[in-house]
Amino acid sequence: MQSIDLNQFGLSEEELFSRVDHNELDSEKIMAPRYSYWNSVFRVFFRKKLNIALLSILALILAFAYIYPLFAEYDKFGNLLDASAKHLSPSAAIKKFGFSIHWILGTGAAGQSTFDAIWFGSRISISLAMVCGVINLTIGVIMGAIWGFSKKIDIVMMEVYNILANVPYILIVAVLVMILTSSFWTLVLAMTITGWLGIAYFIRTQVVIIRNREYNLASRCLGTPLLKIAMRNILPFMTSVIVTLAATEIPSYISMEVFLGFIGMGLSEMSLGRLIYEAESAMVTPGWEFEFWSPVVIASIITVVLYVVGQNLADASDPRTHM
Amino acid sequence: MTKYLIKRVLHGLLSIVVVVAIVMIIIYSLMDRNLIFKNDNTYSHLKNNSKEIYKYSKWEEYGYIDFVTYADYLLMLTSSGEIDEETRSSVVGIGRTADKDSENVRKYVEQFSEYYISKGYTVKRIDAVMMNAKKVADGGQPQLFAYKNLSLLSRLWSYFSKIITIDNIHYAEEVKGERGITFTLFDPVYGGKKFSPAIIGNGTKHKYLLYFDSKFPYIHQNIITINLGTSYSVNQGIDVFETMTRSQGSYVKSLVTYPTGLQEESADDLHTATYVKGSLETSLVFKDRFMDDYTNVSTKKSSLSKVGFSFVIGILASLLAYFVGVPLGITMAKRKDKLLDKIGTIYIVFIIAVPTLAYIFLFKAIGGKLGLPTTFDMESSKKLMYVLPIVSLALPQIASLMKWIRRYMIDQMNLDYVKFARSGGLSEGEIFTKHILKNAAIPIVHGIPGTILFAMTGAIITERVYVVPGAGNLLIEAIGQYDNGVIVGVTLFYALLTVVSIILGDVLITMVDPRISFTSKDR
């Protein structure tokens, strides 16, 4: 573009117009701002400083639970014969073994490092919660959508729900643990075999609320199959509800595992629940409280962080907050 | 409404039957039967054939099979008069192997096999285990018996037909004097001089069918008894319902006048006397005290029952929760996004996210620091020991009440009728108490019967942590000891509570809210 001396025409900079030619190609493009749902979700989510802080804590927890055990050598019975290594407070343990990250939470009943035990246990507990969460939410959401949408299935499923909700949950867990062994996958089976019903019931209620809107009626008239309506028309409406559910469910599986461990029906592996169960007697012994409270506090931190991150993500996934 | 309620109750009862059936399938078919011997010392000490017999007889006790030995069969024949005592004793001993049976024995063995095979039993004969050619090994006697797995239907039928029993005068097999029911105005337990009406049966299972005493609810009956299933390991031979409702603790002794006139300091409660066949003759202790076979009495104890403890703690915790949680929830809704609302929300998040176990231990530790008793002692009369269990149970309930009340109130605040009321000139206070609160309270009211009824079942963690002798641990204890009777009984009890509390909740909201109606006619 050649430069024109403006003074030549007696014009100032502001008054300058330039001619734009008609472009056939540009007129074919629709120029609306690009909108991506998940981008907006994360934009809203990261707007809060608290969420960034919580996410970093979560990342730290996950790193300790999943990466730390790869490098740490943990042998529960390594110090078994050393009577002076058992039930040490953090300061006593550091004094005895020298300062290292293993001893900052003291030692347990077998002279093992509480810190290592907690992270090995957390790995099992978090994995269990995640696996159960994924299975229960997937089955629960799909079944709930179908259940809410079809009136015939609704009648049958209400009966099933009323009956199965009354079979004591502890009994199912206990029997499965007895039939199979108390391994990781047994507990997954025990937690998912009826666990999805509650989620499905919750989703069903939500679906019933929106199933009779006009666009669904239209969709039915056009002959869309039931499954497709459930998956395409209804589920996207409920993203924030589902994220809220995930935020409450996943920490609740960790709590559940801790509870089952405490009543002696949990895993045989050293999960957080079993750790708390075995350290229970230490709680009432003066000077030993630390080995009980450390796993309890870590379990609480994990569940609280998971819950709050999930809730805030659910808030962010509600399109009404995207303004 | 009545018709609708009857329909709901019947429907509920049907689902209870299905729940019990499912639980029976789970425990009788899916669980390994041999597990019940895991901690059984008698079993591990028995040897050879007697171990086998012990195994089958235990299975019968636990309700897995129907089991009859050859000797039992012969006894049955004797008592029905088909054979006499002499024949019985001559044929009861079977040979070491089948071909060593004598002619006479063989006849009865065949009769036994035919009889039970025709009834669908499996007949099993185990030959003697020999130490040497002459000597039978320890516990190695030959055995002959028949057994049959109980089918689900027959098990269900026998369970449900026994749940409610009405006492009748033909219960006892042999009675002294005439069968019948007598009414007296002067209860013989109190010496026959004090005015206290009672109905006494002869020939019935319970001696006292109706009586008065000084314990709540003062009038007691034994005509209708509830049997939820007999316990085998948790509380041997005692019905689940009794296990839950029988008082615990140390004996309360008082001066008791027995029917023979003997007076003694004893904890026996003569009102609970039940019939045990031929018991008077078996012991001198009974002969000194009783005139007839109604010798089986339970004892008076000082403390509440399992359900009693759970209920007292549970109901007080719920009351506390409603008195604290509802006003707090209302205030939170009123001052949405203010400081109180934020503190309340943090508390709710804490209760939801932190494992129950963790915060109960936290409350225990805080309570202990404050000097409150952290363990429960049945014998002590200190009221302070109730504080921590009640508070631990109430705090999570408060959180959930706060959460829901706040949610419902805020939802109501945005509705059109509130804007209308405001434009009509009502004050904010009036709108809040007269309109919003009333509407927001409806879903809360629905949960009240459930809260009250489920206070009886007790809380597992709270009771374990504070060593409360309540009903919460009964199911876990039963599962741990493979006590099938108790598992089924407790499940039935829980299912019944669920059904009743939902129906009562529905009735309650129709009373609170005239817009809700369950009958099509009213609509």
Side-chain angles (χ1 to χ4, degrees), chain B residues 383-423:
Chain B
K383 294 282 174 271
L384 266 181
M385 65 189 180
Y386 283 94
V387 172
L388 274 181
I390 289 173
V391 171
S392 299
L393 265 187
L395 286 173
Q397 278 190 51
I398 290 174
S400 113
L401 274 172
M402 272 160 73
K403 183 176 88 174
W404 289 112
I405 282 272
R406 178 183 177 276
R407 179 81 265 140
Y408 293 138
M409 300 271 292
I410 289 173
D411 286 352
Q412 292 287 331
M413 279 200 274
N414 297 329
L415 291 182
D416 287 344
Y417 78 89
V418 175
K419 286 175 198 151
F420 180 75
R422 200 170 285 143
S423 66

Side-chain angles (χ1 to χ4, degrees), chain A:
Chain A
M1 205 168 137
Q2 84 257 37
S3 80
I4 305 158
D5 186 12
L6 294 174
N7 293 329
Q8 187 185 339
F9 305 105
L11 289 168
S12 68
E13 187 101 23
E14 289 81 38
E15 283 169 292
L16 181 67
F17 288 86
S18 67
R19 188 187 156 86
V20 177
D21 282 320
H22 176 67
N23 190 333
E24 288 279 330
L25 206 68
D26 275 348
S27 69
E28 291 299 306
K29 286 181 190 160
I30 298 168
M31 295 297 281
R34 284 179 68 88
Y35 176 79
S36 153
Y37 172 70
W38 289 107
N39 274 350
S40 322
V41 170
F42 288 114
R43 186 169 47 80
V44 174
F45 182 74
F46 286 114
R47 209 186 278 157
K48 268 193 184 171
K49 292 280 181 294
L50 176 72
N51 287 338
I52 300 175
L54 283 174
L55 266 190
S56 2
I57 298 176
L58 186 62
L60 197 70
I61 289 172
L62 290 179
F64 265 113
Y66 286 92
I67 302 172
Y68 175 72
L70 299 179
F71 300 105
E73 291 215 357
Y74 170 64
D75 177 10
K76 191 188 166 187
F77 302 110
N79 290 334
L80 194 59
L81 297 174
D82 186 356
S84 65
K86 290 167 190 174
H87 299 297
L88 292 180
S89 68
S91 54
I94 289 170
K95 211 169 159 191
K96 181 170 165 60
F97 295 104
F99 184 80
S100 112
I101 197 164
H102 302 299
W103 309 112
I104 58 172
L105 291 179
T107 63
Q112 81 275 33
S113 147
T114 308
F115 188 77
D116 293 359
I118 287 173
W119 294 116
F120 276 81
S122 302
R123 183 173 59 168
I124 299 170
S125 293
I126 295 175
S127 309
L128 184 82
M130 291 294 177
V131 172
C132 291
V134 167
I135 297 176
N136 273 346
L137 283 168
T138 317
I139 301 177
V141 167
I142 295 174
M143 285 305 293
I146 299 170
W147 176 359
F149 215 79
S150 153
K151 280 179 186 154
K152 276 180 202 154
I153 296 176
D154 188 36
I155 296 170
V156 179
M157 285 298 288
M158 277 316 280
E159 291 302 315
V160 172
Y161 177 75
N162 283 338
I163 288 164
L164 286 187
N166 273 322
V167 177
Y169 176 72
I170 300 169
L171 183 67
I172 296 175
V173 176
V175 169
L176 280 172
V177 168
M178 265 178 234
I179 298 170
L180 312 163
T181 48
S182 55
S183 70
F184 181 84
W185 291 106
T186 309
L187 215 60
V188 169
L189 181 68
M191 284 200 177
T192 51
I193 196 161
T194 56
W196 59 271
L197 258 175
I199 298 172
Y201 181 70
F202 184 83
I203 295 288
R204 171 228 171 234
T205 317
Q206 303 292 317
V207 171
V208 167
I209 294 170
I210 53 170
R211 77 170 169 209
N212 287 334
R213 296 211 176 145
E214 276 88 352
Y215 74 97
N216 283 323
L217 200 66
S219 203
R220 268 180 97 98
C221 291
L222 291 170
T224 321
L226 193 70
L227 191 69
K228 198 169 175 188
I229 294 182
M231 300 297 288
R232 293 288 176 84
N233 292 7
I234 297 193
L235 284 191
F237 243 94
M238 301 197 304
T239 320
S240 75
V241 174
I242 294 168
V243 179
T244 314
L245 256 184
T248 25
E249 287 295 318
I250 292 176
S252 83
Y253 296 128
I254 296 184
S255 307
M256 195 66 195
E257 196 275 319
V258 171
F259 167 67
L260 287 174
F262 178 68
I263 60 170
M265 285 181 188
L267 289 166
S268 53
E269 293 153 77
M270 283 318 280
S271 63
L272 277 179
R274 203 171 160 84
L275 213 59
I276 294 171
Y277 171 65
E278 290 195 351
E280 195 207 339
S281 56
M283 189 218 154
V284 287
T285 319
W288 294 3
E289 294 97 340
F290 220 80
E291 67 179 270
F292 173 78
W293 285 108
S294 325
V296 172
V297 168
I298 298 283
S300 310
I301 292 175
I302 294 174
T303 49
V304 169
V305 168
L306 279 174
Y307 178 78
V308 178
V309 166
Q311 285 298 334
N312 288 343
L313 191 63
D315 284 349
S317 64
D318 184 352
R320 277 170 290 188
T321 63
H322 291 189
M323 299 306 153

